[in-house]
Amino acid sequence: MQQSIDLLRHKLSGLYPAGEITGITRMIFEALCNYSPSDILLHKDTILSEDMHLKIESIARRLVRQEPIQYILGYTDFCGYRFDVAPGVLIPRPETGELVTRVIRENGDTPLRIADLGTGSGCIAVTLALALPLCRVEAWDISADALRIAQRNAQKHNAPVNFIQRDILLYTVTEAEAESLDIIVSNPPYIRQSEQAAMCENVLGYEPHEALFVPDESPLLFYEKIARDGIQLLTPGGKLYFEINETQGANCARMLEETGYESVEIIKDLYGKDRFIATIKPLRNG
């Protein structure tokens, strides 16, 4: 096994930080051998079969092309659950888990109607449905491929989520019932096209651009549409939660206030970056 570990370190050195190489190595041996990190240490002198070594070599070649390990293995872990992922959906990030944790903490044992807009892999919707069993959860996405993966994840975890194929930007609010939701949560596309230059190839080359990028001249494109629709779709006192671009917190907060929301709060992630916004639809409009 040490031979395979050395192979991975050699092939990936210079492409990934040392800590990330260690994490990738652990993921590979967990997937192929069902080894925990401590098992890897205990069994490092074990001689792997030729077939197993060839599988690791194949994975290493794909990693050298900077294909994300999550797509290679076909899954990732999020909020304590394992989710299937494929190139048709974004790979869930730990920061998004912070958003989900906040929604759960603030909306404990109340039977609410929740919509996850732009669900991707379904990680937000499925986790909320499992953590808040009294709630009714629906999830929207424009992509049929993403919805197939999200539905598979819901079925795997026995999570009752209603999936809807819907274009957030183009649908009319009359397609959904007025005041039919208590919570809207969304992690929409928010990276400006000009920010691509600073991004890694394992994101740019593999993850779906339609789920990542917005035009430089319209960085709040999705937020503005969701906020306008939310004024009609949310019940009075209903809540809106967003994950945001760290550079757009003040702009997004101002837009929400101008749209008619109150108690707008910009929330930092664990790295101290402006990453989320929570706000409330007033009990009375006007």
Side-chain angles (χ1 to χ4, degrees):
M1 193 169 83
Q2 188 63 49
Q3 179 186 2
S4 296
I5 293 173
D6 291 342
L7 169 76
L8 289 167
R9 287 175 178 164
H10 173 72
K11 292 283 189 182
L12 303 183
S13 179
L15 291 173
Y16 300 88
E20 191 169 349
I21 293 173
T22 298
I24 288 170
T25 301
R26 288 174 176 173
M27 291 176 70
I28 291 170
F29 281 101
E30 179 189 11
L32 297 183
C33 305
N34 199 30
Y35 280 174
S36 68
S38 58
D39 289 332
I40 294 173
L41 292 173
L42 289 171
H43 297 283
K44 65 179 182 179
D45 294 327
T46 299
I47 304 299
L48 297 178
S49 68
E50 182 65 18
D51 179 63
M52 185 67 71
H53 189 69
L54 289 174
K55 287 180 180 178
I56 294 170
E57 286 185 330
S58 175
I59 291 172
R61 285 194 295 271
R62 295 172 69 179
L63 288 167
V64 167
R65 296 194 294 267
Q66 298 197 48
E67 184 175 352
I69 184 62
Q70 295 88 345
Y71 287 161
I72 296 172
L73 299 180
Y75 66 81
T76 193
D77 293 327
F78 179 84
C79 288
Y81 299 103
R82 181 151 290 179
F83 286 87
D84 292 350
V85 292
V89 298
L90 286 183
I91 298 166
R93 267 58 173 187
E95 294 88 340
T96 305
E98 295 178 49
L99 176 64
V100 172
T101 299
R102 187 179 184 96
V103 175
I104 293 168
R105 185 176 68 243
E106 293 184 351
N107 301 282
D109 300 321
T110 309
L112 301 169
R113 297 161 298 176
I114 303 173
D116 167 28
L117 308 194
T119 194
S121 66
C123 62
I124 292 175
V126 169
T127 305
L128 290 176
L130 293 171
L132 303 171
L134 297 180
C135 295
R136 187 198 73 191
V137 180
E138 63 185 57
W140 308 2
D141 206 284
I142 187 175
S143 167
D145 289 340
L147 287 172
R148 278 192 288 272
I149 294 170
Q151 287 171 327
R152 190 162 74 231
N153 282 320
Q155 291 166 358
K156 179 166 70 173
H157 294 295
N158 197 27
V161 179
N162 179 34
F163 292 98
I164 302 168
Q165 187 170 11
R166 183 172 284 164
D167 186 330
I168 293 170
L169 295 179
L170 295 182
Y171 91 103
T172 60
V173 74
T174 55
E175 294 176 40
E177 184 184 348
E179 299 189 356
S180 60
L181 297 171
D182 300 296
I183 294 174
I184 293 174
V185 57
S186 184
N187 177 22
Y190 61 64
I191 302 171
R192 292 170 295 178
Q193 291 285 349
S194 60
E195 294 178 285
Q196 290 191 40
M199 296 177 67
C200 298
E201 179 59 26
N202 61 349
V203 175
L204 282 176
Y206 293 93
E207 299 200 56
H209 284 206
E210 65 273 16
L212 288 167
F213 297 110
V214 288
D216 280 19
E217 63 273 16
S218 305
L220 300 181
L221 179 66
F222 286 88
Y223 299 91
E224 292 167 346
K225 177 64 160 58
I226 293 169
R228 288 196 305 270
D229 293 346
I231 288 292
Q232 296 187 58
L233 295 177
L234 286 167
T235 54
K239 299 176 183 178
L240 176 57
Y241 295 89
F242 281 135
E243 182 171 331
I244 62 170
N245 186 317
E246 64 185 271
T247 68
Q248 296 297 313
N251 291 335
C252 193
R254 188 179 311 112
M255 178 274 295
L256 289 167
E257 290 170 348
E258 291 172 353
T259 305
Y261 291 87
E262 62 184 18
S263 302
V264 178
E265 181 185 7
I266 300 173
I267 304 156
K268 295 186 183 298
D269 63 19
L270 290 177
Y271 302 100
K273 297 178 179 180
D274 291 347
R275 186 60 66 198
F276 316 106
I277 281 188
T279 188
I280 298 173
K281 175 182 171 179
L283 293 174
R284 289 190 181 89
N285 289 330

